Amino acid sequence: MPHLLNTNQVLDGLRGLRLHGPVVYNEVTGSTNDDARQLALEEAAEGTIVIADSQTGGRGRHGRVWLGEPGHSLLFSVILRPGIPTTEYHWLVNVSGVAAATACAALSGRMVGTKWPNDIVFAGRKLGGVLLEARAPEFAVVGIGLNISTSADGFPQELQGTAVSLAELSQDAIPREHLLVRVLRELDALYGLLQTGQTDRILSRQQQLETLLGQQVTAQLGTERLTGVARALAPTGGLIIDTAAGERIIETGEVTLLRPTYPEASA
Ligand code: BTN
């Protein structure tokens, strides 16, 4: 049975950061994003972190359900008060994805990357995701879910083969506290870059992690479907796709790999 999260250890690890807590921890909640939003509406400070061992109403993008066996995932949300133009809020997805992928790669020693716009992946399988919900310009809630110790057959049937957990990547168990602190330390630094307008530095970090680049993809944009090669990240944080009809930059959408190749394909 997974142990309860040690919030003091988390708070120790966050000393000196802007995103330093407080930490609100519940074994079970509806959705950490909902809890964080409620706290933000009640004037909770930037850097407040809401963590749960399991969620009864956890959600992902496009209204999808975000499931997780109790204690086998890292599920948390952070309140941010970015003070940047509302039109720049989408960068919070980029910085959160880069932060989470960097932390997972560092602690597992494996090539964890991002899959634009919001997935954390290993060898094409989903390790986690980011859900940004904002009430701009007052606050944003960044929710991150990472699969930690779910066994390969512990995922719901429809995710088997497409989801992966850190335990499959690393011989050594990675304590959730370590991972959470590492993600938040990365996020704190990248968030600072965003607030000081250094999106070029965010992009160069993301470019190194982005698994779609150079790959043949399809992108679903509402009713339109684009096919081409994902060439680069755009200065806006979007994705540049070279199609037969020329270059297209997409700022949101579902992107699927057509003929995936991965540098590190065996877990
Ligand atoms: C996605 O891949 O679609 C995003 C998944 C985000 C899930 C996290 S878990 C913590 C936070 N609370 C939620 O209800 N969702 C996010």
Side-chain angles (χ1 to χ4, degrees):
M1 183 62 200
H3 70 88
L4 294 181
L5 195 111
N6 183 333
T7 51
N8 285 331
Q9 205 180 329
V10 173
L11 286 167
D12 276 353
L14 301 181
R15 271 209 207 118
L17 301 187
R18 224 152 31 107
L19 307 180
H20 63 263
V23 168
V24 178
Y25 172 47
N26 294 302
E27 281 181 64
V28 185
T29 193
S31 154
T32 57
N33 264 35
D34 287 344
D35 296 346
R37 177 188 168 82
Q38 187 54 41
L39 289 169
L41 290 169
E42 293 162 10
E43 306 301 328
E46 166 160 273
T48 300
I49 299 147
V50 180
I51 313 168
D53 286 340
S54 66
Q55 304 180 116
T56 54
R59 57 179 180 274
R61 289 172 78 224
H62 307 299
R64 292 188 190 117
V65 174
W66 187 265
L67 297 170
E69 295 173 86
H72 288 284
S73 311
L74 180 60
L75 309 167
F76 69 99
S77 303
V78 189
I79 297 175
L80 301 173
R81 298 188 182 277
I84 57 175
T86 304
T87 50
E88 302 291 301
Y89 266 50
H90 65 275
W91 279 103
L92 294 169
V93 178
N94 301 55
V95 299
S96 303
V98 171
T102 303
C104 291
L107 295 188
S108 68
R110 306 299 294 268
M111 291 184 71
V112 177
T114 52
K115 175 175 173 279
W116 188 95
N118 79 320
D119 287 351
I120 321 304
V121 294
F122 174 78
R125 288 153 75 198
K126 185 155 168 161
L127 184 60
V130 174
L131 179 67
L132 169 70
E133 294 179 320
R135 183 162 133 159
E138 294 102 311
F139 65 83
V141 169
V142 165
I144 299 179
L146 293 167
N147 304 323
I148 304 294
S149 51
T150 309
S151 57
D153 55 10
F155 291 108
Q157 190 128 38
E158 66 277 15
L159 296 182
Q160 287 191 14
T162 62
V164 68
S165 75
L166 271 181
E168 293 178 65
L169 309 189
S170 167
Q171 309 247 314
D172 305 320
I174 299 171
R176 289 183 300 161
E177 293 85 350
H178 289 192
L179 182 62
L180 176 59
V181 166
R182 188 64 187 253
V183 175
L184 288 165
R185 296 197 80 86
E186 299 288 343
L187 180 60
D188 194 85
L190 289 157
Y191 184 50
L193 294 181
L194 175 59
Q195 289 188 308
T196 50
Q198 300 181 72
T199 49
D200 53 334
R201 292 183 60 192
I202 297 168
L203 276 180
S204 70
R205 291 273 307 273
Q206 193 175 358
Q207 192 96 15
Q208 287 164 18
L209 292 168
E210 183 48 56
T211 57
L212 290 180
L213 300 183
Q215 306 262 20
Q216 185 83 20
V217 298
T218 59
Q220 192 69 43
L221 310 170
T223 54
E224 188 190 9
R225 179 182 281 251
L226 286 182
T227 299
V229 174
R231 176 160 50 82
L233 295 167
T236 53
L239 184 68
I240 303 174
I241 301 180
D242 286 334
T243 74
E247 174 184 295
R248 287 284 299 272
I249 298 180
I250 60 171
E251 303 296 346
T252 185
E254 285 284 289
V255 182
T256 315
L257 283 161
L258 287 180
R259 282 187 291 278
T261 54
Y262 306 111
E264 190 184 15
S266 62

